[in-house]
C-alpha cells in the first residue's frame, strides 16, 4: 500500500492555544527586514503585502535611500491608531518613520501572542465615517441655535532677530522644528550640538533633535528651529 501522506504542519498558536491570525506572520517578516534597513528599503515589501504607501518626501538623488512616506496597514490588520497613534503626541493616523513602523509591528506580534481583542484598520475607517456622518447631521439641524461667526484675529508673528544674529541652542532645550524641511512644526528636544569652525573665527552650528513622536533628525539648521 502507498505510504500515508504527511500531515500539514500545524499553524502557529498563541499562549491561549489559539491559531495566530495570518497578519502575524507578515508582521514578523517585515519587522525583521525593517530592523536591518530603513523604511525606504522595505517600501516594495510593504506594498507587496497590501500596505498603502504614499509618495516619498524629503529624498534626493544625491542621497539615495533618504526620505519618508506615509504608511497605512491593510484593512484586516490591527489599526495603527490604536497601537501607535494614541501614544504619539501628534496623534498621527498613519506611520511615517522606522521608529513608528517598528513599534507597530512589535505591538501586532504581542497582540497575536496574547490573543487579545483588537480593532482593525477597516474598523477605524468606519469610525471616521460615522464621525463625519454625525457632524454632517448636526450641521444640517436648522432648529439648533447657531452662534454668530467669530471674527478672525490674526496674531502678528514674533519679531525676528536682526540679520546676522542666529539663535543658539544647547543640549536639553525644548524646541520645535520643520521636520525634513517640511511645512509643519514638530516639538522635540536638542540632543546634540554640532559645531563646524570656519575662517575668521566664524562657527556654523547645527543640531540633532529627538522629536516627541520618537523620530530623530540630525544636522538641523537653526533657521528651521524655534524655541518652545
Amino acid at each position: 500500500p502507498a505510504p500515508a501522506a504527511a500531515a500539514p504542519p500545524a499553524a502557529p498558536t498563541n499562549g491561549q492555544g489559539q491559531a495566530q491570525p495570518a497578519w502575524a506572520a507578515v508582521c514578523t517578516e517585515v519587522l525583521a527586514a525593517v530592523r536591518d534597513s530603513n523604511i525606504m528599503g522595505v517600501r516594495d515589501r510593504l506594498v507587496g503585502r497590501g500596505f498603502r504607501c504614499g509618495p516619498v518626501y524629503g529624498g534626493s538623488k544625491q542621497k539615495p535611500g533618504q526620505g519618508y512616506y506615509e504608511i497605512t496597514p491593510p484593512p484586516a490588520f490591527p489599526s495603527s491608531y490604536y497601537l501607535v497613534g494614541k501614544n504619539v503626541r501628534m496623534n498621527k493616523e498613519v506611520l511615517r518613520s522606522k521608529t513608528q513602523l517598528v513599534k507597530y509591528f512589535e505591538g501586532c506580534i504581542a497582540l497575536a501572542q496574547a490573543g487579545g481583542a483588537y480593532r482593525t484598520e477597516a474598523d477605524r475607517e468606519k469610525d471616521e465615517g460615522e464621525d463625519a456622518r454625525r457632524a454632517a447631521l448636526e450641521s444640517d439641524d436648522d432648529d439648533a441655535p447657531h452662534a454668530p461667526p467669530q471674527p478672525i484675529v490674526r496674531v502678528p508673528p514674533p519679531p525676528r532677530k536682526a540679520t546676522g544674529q542666529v539663535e543658539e541652542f544647547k543640549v536639553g532645550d525644548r524646541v520645535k522644528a520643520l521636520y525634513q524641511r517640511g511645512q509643519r512644526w514638530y516639538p522635540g528636544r536638542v540632543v546634540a550640538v554640532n559645531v563646524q569652525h570656519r575662517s575668521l573665527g566664524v562657527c556654523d552650528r547645527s543640531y540633532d533633535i529627538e522629536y516627541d513622536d520618537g523620530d530623530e533628525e540630525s544636522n538641523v539648521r537653526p533657521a528651521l528651529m524655534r524655541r518652545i
Side-chain angles (χ1 to χ4, degrees):
T13 58
N14 56 28
Q16 308 297 323
Q18 303 167 333
Q20 292 189 10
W23 48 258
V26 176
C27 294
T28 301
E29 171 205 348
V30 184
L31 175 61
V34 75
R35 279 176 170 166
D36 294 334
S37 180
N38 53 37
I39 63 170
M40 297 302 298
V42 297
R43 181 182 173 87
D44 292 341
R45 188 186 295 263
L46 288 169
V47 172
R49 278 31 172 207
F51 288 76
R52 287 175 286 174
C53 298
V56 176
Y57 300 101
S60 68
K61 294 181 179 179
Q62 290 75 22
K63 297 180 179 180
Q66 280 195 344
Y68 69 96
Y69 53 93
E70 295 184 341
I71 306 164
T72 304
F77 280 51
S79 171
S80 61
Y81 174 79
Y82 297 105
L83 288 181
V84 178
K86 281 191 172 182
N87 296 324
V88 177
R89 179 170 296 185
M90 301 304 295
N91 273 345
K92 293 292 290 182
E93 295 281 347
V94 293
L95 308 167
R96 65 176 180 86
S97 70
K98 176 178 178 177
T99 300
Q100 291 177 334
L101 197 58
V102 168
K103 286 182 180 178
Y104 172 70
F105 286 134
E106 288 178 343
C108 286
I109 294 171
L111 186 62
Q113 292 173 347
Y118 60 93
R119 295 185 65 79
T120 66
E121 195 66 27
D123 293 332
R124 175 62 182 166
E125 292 179 358
K126 289 180 182 178
D127 292 343
E128 292 177 341
E130 180 63 18
D131 291 343
R133 186 186 69 83
R134 290 179 179 177
L137 289 176
E138 291 176 359
S139 65
D140 292 338
D141 187 359
D142 296 332
D143 296 331
H146 296 280
Q150 298 296 319
I152 299 176
V153 180
R154 300 188 181 277
V155 180
R160 293 184 174 273
K161 291 182 176 293
T163 303
Q165 296 182 357
V166 179
E167 186 171 9
E168 296 183 359
F169 305 91
K170 65 181 184 298
V171 173
D173 282 352
R174 292 283 299 165
V175 298
K176 59 181 179 180
L178 295 174
Y179 179 77
Q180 295 283 357
R181 296 178 176 268
Q183 301 297 318
R184 295 183 59 183
W185 296 93
Y186 292 92
R189 66 184 183 90
V190 177
V191 295
V193 180
N194 310 306
V195 180
Q196 181 179 3
H197 296 279
R198 298 169 55 189
S199 58
L200 302 178
V202 178
C203 296
D204 279 342
R205 295 177 182 268
S206 64
Y207 303 89
D208 295 353
I209 299 177
E210 182 181 274
Y211 293 98
D212 291 350
D213 62 5
D215 286 344
E216 297 179 354
E217 188 175 14
S218 302
N219 299 317
V220 181
R221 307 297 300 179
L224 304 175
M225 302 166 56
R226 296 288 185 271
R227 189 181 302 277
I228 298 179

